[in-house]
Short mmCIF file of all heavy atoms in Angstrom, two decimals:
data_model
loop_
_atom_site.label_atom_id
_atom_site.label_comp_id
_atom_site.label_asym_id
_atom_site.label_seq_id
_atom_site.Cartn_x
_atom_site.Cartn_y
_atom_site.Cartn_z
N VAL A 148 -1.08 -3.44 -14.54
CA VAL A 148 -1.98 -4.44 -13.86
C VAL A 148 -1.20 -5.69 -13.63
O VAL A 148 -1.42 -6.33 -12.63
CB VAL A 148 -3.31 -4.56 -14.81
CG1 VAL A 148 -4.08 -5.75 -14.31
CG2 VAL A 148 -4.11 -3.28 -14.72
N PHE A 149 -0.43 -6.21 -14.61
CA PHE A 149 0.31 -7.34 -14.47
C PHE A 149 1.29 -7.20 -13.32
O PHE A 149 1.46 -8.13 -12.44
CB PHE A 149 0.97 -7.90 -15.72
CG PHE A 149 1.85 -9.07 -15.67
CD1 PHE A 149 1.26 -10.25 -15.14
CD2 PHE A 149 3.17 -8.94 -15.92
CE1 PHE A 149 2.11 -11.30 -15.03
CE2 PHE A 149 4.08 -10.10 -15.89
CZ PHE A 149 3.48 -11.28 -15.37
N LEU A 150 1.93 -6.07 -13.23
CA LEU A 150 2.80 -5.81 -12.18
C LEU A 150 2.13 -5.91 -10.80
O LEU A 150 2.70 -6.49 -9.87
CB LEU A 150 3.50 -4.35 -12.23
CG LEU A 150 4.13 -3.78 -11.02
CD1 LEU A 150 5.37 -4.50 -10.68
CD2 LEU A 150 4.45 -2.26 -11.26
N ALA A 151 1.03 -5.33 -10.70
CA ALA A 151 0.17 -5.46 -9.48
C ALA A 151 -0.24 -6.87 -9.13
O ALA A 151 -0.18 -7.24 -7.96
CB ALA A 151 -1.12 -4.64 -9.63
N ALA A 152 -0.38 -7.76 -10.15
CA ALA A 152 -0.73 -9.18 -9.92
C ALA A 152 0.55 -9.88 -9.27
O ALA A 152 0.37 -10.72 -8.38
CB ALA A 152 -1.13 -9.76 -11.15
N ILE A 153 1.74 -9.43 -9.79
CA ILE A 153 2.95 -10.03 -9.32
C ILE A 153 3.14 -9.68 -7.90
O ILE A 153 3.47 -10.49 -7.00
CB ILE A 153 4.15 -9.52 -10.16
CG1 ILE A 153 4.12 -10.12 -11.58
CG2 ILE A 153 5.57 -9.95 -9.52
CD1 ILE A 153 5.19 -9.54 -12.45
N ILE A 154 2.95 -8.37 -7.51
CA ILE A 154 3.08 -7.79 -6.15
C ILE A 154 2.11 -8.59 -5.18
O ILE A 154 2.40 -9.05 -4.13
CB ILE A 154 2.91 -6.37 -6.11
CG1 ILE A 154 4.05 -5.70 -6.81
CG2 ILE A 154 2.71 -5.84 -4.64
CD1 ILE A 154 3.90 -4.17 -7.01
N GLY A 155 0.88 -8.71 -5.66
CA GLY A 155 -0.19 -9.27 -4.92
C GLY A 155 0.08 -10.68 -4.53
O GLY A 155 -0.52 -11.20 -3.44
N THR A 156 0.76 -11.45 -5.45
CA THR A 156 0.92 -12.89 -5.16
C THR A 156 2.30 -13.16 -4.61
O THR A 156 2.70 -14.24 -4.38
CB THR A 156 0.89 -13.65 -6.51
OG1 THR A 156 1.83 -13.08 -7.47
CG2 THR A 156 -0.52 -13.53 -7.05
N SER A 157 3.06 -12.09 -4.20
CA SER A 157 4.44 -12.24 -3.77
C SER A 157 4.66 -11.91 -2.32
O SER A 157 5.71 -12.33 -1.72
CB SER A 157 5.44 -11.35 -4.55
OG SER A 157 5.44 -11.69 -6.03
N PHE A 158 3.77 -11.21 -1.63
CA PHE A 158 3.94 -10.85 -0.24
C PHE A 158 2.87 -11.48 0.62
O PHE A 158 1.65 -11.58 0.18
CB PHE A 158 3.82 -9.35 -0.07
CG PHE A 158 4.96 -8.59 -0.70
CD1 PHE A 158 4.74 -7.86 -1.94
CD2 PHE A 158 6.28 -8.58 -0.21
CE1 PHE A 158 5.81 -7.25 -2.46
CE2 PHE A 158 7.27 -7.87 -0.70
CZ PHE A 158 7.05 -7.24 -1.92
N ASP A 159 3.26 -11.91 1.84
CA ASP A 159 2.24 -12.38 2.76
C ASP A 159 1.47 -11.25 3.33
O ASP A 159 0.29 -11.38 3.58
CB ASP A 159 3.00 -13.12 3.90
CG ASP A 159 3.66 -14.39 3.45
OD1 ASP A 159 3.17 -15.03 2.51
OD2 ASP A 159 4.67 -14.69 4.00
N ARG A 160 2.03 -10.08 3.49
CA ARG A 160 1.32 -8.92 3.98
C ARG A 160 0.65 -8.26 2.89
O ARG A 160 0.89 -8.37 1.65
CB ARG A 160 2.35 -7.94 4.62
CG ARG A 160 3.11 -8.41 5.87
CD ARG A 160 3.93 -7.30 6.40
NE ARG A 160 4.81 -7.70 7.56
CZ ARG A 160 6.03 -8.05 7.47
NH1 ARG A 160 6.65 -8.15 6.31
NH2 ARG A 160 6.70 -8.51 8.61
N THR A 161 -0.42 -7.41 3.25
CA THR A 161 -1.05 -6.57 2.33
C THR A 161 -0.12 -5.39 1.96
O THR A 161 0.86 -5.10 2.63
CB THR A 161 -2.36 -5.98 2.99
OG1 THR A 161 -1.95 -5.15 4.15
CG2 THR A 161 -3.34 -7.07 3.39
N PRO A 162 -0.40 -4.77 0.81
CA PRO A 162 0.59 -3.69 0.28
C PRO A 162 0.90 -2.55 1.31
O PRO A 162 2.03 -2.25 1.54
CB PRO A 162 -0.09 -3.12 -0.95
CG PRO A 162 -1.47 -3.62 -0.94
CD PRO A 162 -1.47 -4.87 -0.18
N PHE A 163 -0.14 -2.07 1.92
CA PHE A 163 0.13 -0.95 2.91
C PHE A 163 0.73 -1.44 4.20
O PHE A 163 1.51 -0.76 4.92
CB PHE A 163 -1.18 -0.19 3.20
CG PHE A 163 -1.38 0.83 2.01
CD1 PHE A 163 -2.45 0.60 1.16
CD2 PHE A 163 -0.73 1.99 2.00
CE1 PHE A 163 -2.77 1.55 0.16
CE2 PHE A 163 -1.04 2.95 1.02
CZ PHE A 163 -1.98 2.69 0.13
N SER A 164 0.38 -2.73 4.54
CA SER A 164 1.04 -3.27 5.79
C SER A 164 2.55 -3.41 5.47
O SER A 164 3.39 -3.28 6.33
CB SER A 164 0.43 -4.62 6.05
OG SER A 164 -0.82 -4.53 6.42
N GLU A 165 2.84 -3.81 4.30
CA GLU A 165 4.28 -4.01 3.78
C GLU A 165 4.99 -2.70 3.85
O GLU A 165 6.17 -2.55 4.35
CB GLU A 165 4.37 -4.61 2.39
CG GLU A 165 5.77 -5.17 2.00
CD GLU A 165 6.16 -6.34 2.80
OE1 GLU A 165 5.33 -7.18 3.24
OE2 GLU A 165 7.45 -6.49 3.03
N ILE A 166 4.34 -1.60 3.35
CA ILE A 166 4.92 -0.27 3.42
C ILE A 166 5.03 0.15 4.84
O ILE A 166 6.10 0.80 5.14
CB ILE A 166 4.01 0.67 2.60
CG1 ILE A 166 4.12 0.33 1.10
CG2 ILE A 166 4.47 2.14 2.77
CD1 ILE A 166 3.03 1.14 0.25
N ALA A 167 4.05 -0.07 5.68
CA ALA A 167 4.18 0.36 7.06
C ALA A 167 5.29 -0.31 7.77
O ALA A 167 6.08 0.27 8.57
CB ALA A 167 2.86 0.13 7.79
N HIS A 168 5.52 -1.65 7.46
CA HIS A 168 6.55 -2.40 8.08
C HIS A 168 7.91 -1.91 7.79
O HIS A 168 8.79 -1.87 8.60
CB HIS A 168 6.35 -3.87 7.70
CG HIS A 168 7.48 -4.77 8.20
ND1 HIS A 168 7.61 -5.15 9.48
CD2 HIS A 168 8.53 -5.42 7.55
CE1 HIS A 168 8.64 -5.92 9.56
NE2 HIS A 168 9.19 -6.10 8.39
N ARG A 169 8.04 -1.43 6.50
CA ARG A 169 9.32 -1.04 6.01
C ARG A 169 9.66 0.40 6.15
O ARG A 169 10.84 0.85 6.31
CB ARG A 169 9.59 -1.51 4.61
CG ARG A 169 9.49 -3.08 4.38
CD ARG A 169 9.65 -3.37 2.95
NE ARG A 169 9.60 -4.93 2.74
CZ ARG A 169 10.58 -5.72 2.80
NH1 ARG A 169 11.78 -5.27 3.05
NH2 ARG A 169 10.34 -6.99 2.56
N LEU A 170 8.56 1.21 5.95
CA LEU A 170 8.87 2.72 5.99
C LEU A 170 8.09 3.43 7.15
O LEU A 170 8.33 4.58 7.36
CB LEU A 170 8.31 3.29 4.66
CG LEU A 170 8.90 2.91 3.37
CD1 LEU A 170 8.27 3.51 2.21
CD2 LEU A 170 10.48 3.20 3.48
N GLY A 171 7.30 2.69 7.92
CA GLY A 171 6.62 3.19 9.09
C GLY A 171 5.08 3.51 8.75
O GLY A 171 4.71 3.76 7.64
N ARG A 172 4.29 3.40 9.77
CA ARG A 172 2.85 3.55 9.62
C ARG A 172 2.40 5.02 9.14
O ARG A 172 1.47 5.08 8.27
CB ARG A 172 2.09 3.29 10.98
CG ARG A 172 0.68 3.33 10.96
CD ARG A 172 0.09 2.39 9.97
NE ARG A 172 0.25 0.93 10.28
CZ ARG A 172 -0.16 -0.01 9.55
NH1 ARG A 172 -0.76 0.18 8.38
NH2 ARG A 172 0.09 -1.23 10.01
N PRO A 173 3.14 6.06 9.56
CA PRO A 173 2.76 7.38 9.02
C PRO A 173 2.81 7.51 7.57
O PRO A 173 1.96 8.22 7.02
CB PRO A 173 3.82 8.37 9.81
CG PRO A 173 4.12 7.65 11.08
CD PRO A 173 4.12 6.19 10.65
N VAL A 174 3.85 6.92 6.92
CA VAL A 174 4.00 6.96 5.47
C VAL A 174 2.79 6.15 4.82
O VAL A 174 2.18 6.67 3.89
CB VAL A 174 5.24 6.37 4.96
CG1 VAL A 174 5.34 6.21 3.52
CG2 VAL A 174 6.42 7.18 5.60
N SER A 175 2.41 5.07 5.40
CA SER A 175 1.31 4.22 4.98
C SER A 175 0.07 5.08 5.07
O SER A 175 -0.80 5.07 4.07
CB SER A 175 1.24 3.02 5.78
OG SER A 175 0.03 2.29 5.53
N ILE A 176 -0.17 5.74 6.14
CA ILE A 176 -1.38 6.51 6.35
C ILE A 176 -1.57 7.66 5.37
O ILE A 176 -2.70 7.89 4.84
CB ILE A 176 -1.53 6.94 7.84
CG1 ILE A 176 -1.67 5.75 8.79
CG2 ILE A 176 -2.63 7.97 8.02
CD1 ILE A 176 -1.67 6.12 10.33
N VAL A 177 -0.53 8.39 5.21
CA VAL A 177 -0.49 9.56 4.27
C VAL A 177 -0.91 9.08 2.85
O VAL A 177 -1.82 9.61 2.21
CB VAL A 177 0.87 10.25 4.17
CG1 VAL A 177 0.93 11.23 2.99
CG2 VAL A 177 1.17 10.98 5.50
N ILE A 178 -0.35 7.98 2.33
CA ILE A 178 -0.66 7.48 1.05
C ILE A 178 -2.03 6.99 1.04
O ILE A 178 -2.84 7.28 0.05
CB ILE A 178 0.27 6.34 0.58
CG1 ILE A 178 1.77 6.90 0.55
CG2 ILE A 178 -0.04 5.86 -0.73
CD1 ILE A 178 2.79 5.87 0.23
N GLY A 179 -2.48 6.33 2.09
CA GLY A 179 -3.87 5.81 2.10
C GLY A 179 -4.90 6.93 2.13
O GLY A 179 -5.91 6.82 1.47
N ILE A 180 -4.73 7.97 2.86
CA ILE A 180 -5.59 9.10 2.95
C ILE A 180 -5.70 9.77 1.62
O ILE A 180 -6.91 10.13 1.13
CB ILE A 180 -5.22 10.04 4.05
CG1 ILE A 180 -5.39 9.49 5.45
CG2 ILE A 180 -5.98 11.40 3.95
CD1 ILE A 180 -4.87 10.29 6.58
N VAL A 181 -4.59 10.04 0.99
CA VAL A 181 -4.55 10.67 -0.34
C VAL A 181 -5.32 9.82 -1.35
O VAL A 181 -6.13 10.24 -2.13
CB VAL A 181 -3.10 10.95 -0.89
CG1 VAL A 181 -3.15 11.45 -2.34
CG2 VAL A 181 -2.55 12.02 0.07
N PHE A 182 -5.09 8.50 -1.28
CA PHE A 182 -5.75 7.52 -2.10
C PHE A 182 -7.26 7.63 -1.93
O PHE A 182 -8.07 7.78 -2.96
CB PHE A 182 -5.29 6.11 -1.77
CG PHE A 182 -5.44 5.07 -2.83
CD1 PHE A 182 -4.66 4.04 -2.93
CD2 PHE A 182 -6.40 5.23 -3.80
CE1 PHE A 182 -4.73 3.04 -3.84
CE2 PHE A 182 -6.62 4.28 -4.84
CZ PHE A 182 -5.67 3.18 -4.83
N PHE A 183 -7.76 7.72 -0.70
CA PHE A 183 -9.15 7.81 -0.37
C PHE A 183 -9.74 9.08 -0.85
O PHE A 183 -10.90 9.09 -1.41
CB PHE A 183 -9.32 7.62 1.16
CG PHE A 183 -10.80 7.65 1.49
CD1 PHE A 183 -11.67 6.57 1.39
CD2 PHE A 183 -11.40 8.82 2.05
CE1 PHE A 183 -12.98 6.65 1.78
CE2 PHE A 183 -12.70 8.88 2.39
CZ PHE A 183 -13.47 7.78 2.31
N LEU A 184 -9.10 10.18 -0.69
CA LEU A 184 -9.60 11.46 -1.05
C LEU A 184 -9.70 11.62 -2.55
O LEU A 184 -10.66 12.13 -3.18
CB LEU A 184 -8.65 12.64 -0.60
CG LEU A 184 -8.64 12.85 0.94
CD1 LEU A 184 -7.68 13.89 1.33
CD2 LEU A 184 -10.13 13.26 1.40
N ILE A 185 -8.77 10.99 -3.27
CA ILE A 185 -8.83 10.97 -4.78
C ILE A 185 -10.10 10.32 -5.24
O ILE A 185 -10.91 10.82 -6.03
CB ILE A 185 -7.56 10.30 -5.43
CG1 ILE A 185 -6.36 11.15 -5.16
CG2 ILE A 185 -7.78 10.11 -6.92
CD1 ILE A 185 -5.13 10.41 -5.55
N THR A 186 -10.33 9.05 -4.72
CA THR A 186 -11.56 8.34 -5.13
C THR A 186 -12.83 9.03 -4.67
O THR A 186 -13.81 8.97 -5.43
CB THR A 186 -11.44 6.92 -4.58
OG1 THR A 186 -11.39 6.91 -3.14
CG2 THR A 186 -10.31 6.12 -5.15
N SER A 187 -12.89 9.62 -3.57
CA SER A 187 -13.97 10.29 -2.99
C SER A 187 -14.29 11.50 -3.82
O SER A 187 -15.50 11.74 -4.18
CB SER A 187 -13.82 10.71 -1.60
OG SER A 187 -13.71 9.58 -0.77
N CYS A 188 -13.29 12.28 -4.26
CA CYS A 188 -13.56 13.49 -5.05
C CYS A 188 -14.11 13.11 -6.41
O CYS A 188 -14.97 13.87 -6.96
CB CYS A 188 -12.25 14.22 -5.25
SG CYS A 188 -11.78 15.16 -3.74
#
């Protein structure tokens, strides 16, 4: 949780925007969809 606080205060972009910028939007979408499915299930 403390690590997440460091990340959240260190980037101007949101976490998935940062991932999409560096690794591409498809990678960001895959992680986001899996994330959503986990919480929904």
Side-chain angles (χ1 to χ4, degrees):
V148 168
F149 177 56
L150 165 65
I153 295 173
I154 293 173
T156 57
S157 298
F158 293 105
D159 293 329
R160 299 185 182 93
T161 60
F163 281 104
S164 295
E165 193 70 31
I166 291 172
H168 175 71
R169 297 178 182 274
L170 297 179
R172 182 61 64 183
V174 175
S175 167
I176 292 175
V177 168
I178 300 175
I180 290 175
V181 171
F182 205 154
F183 181 79
L184 288 175
I185 291 171
T186 56
S187 296
C188 283

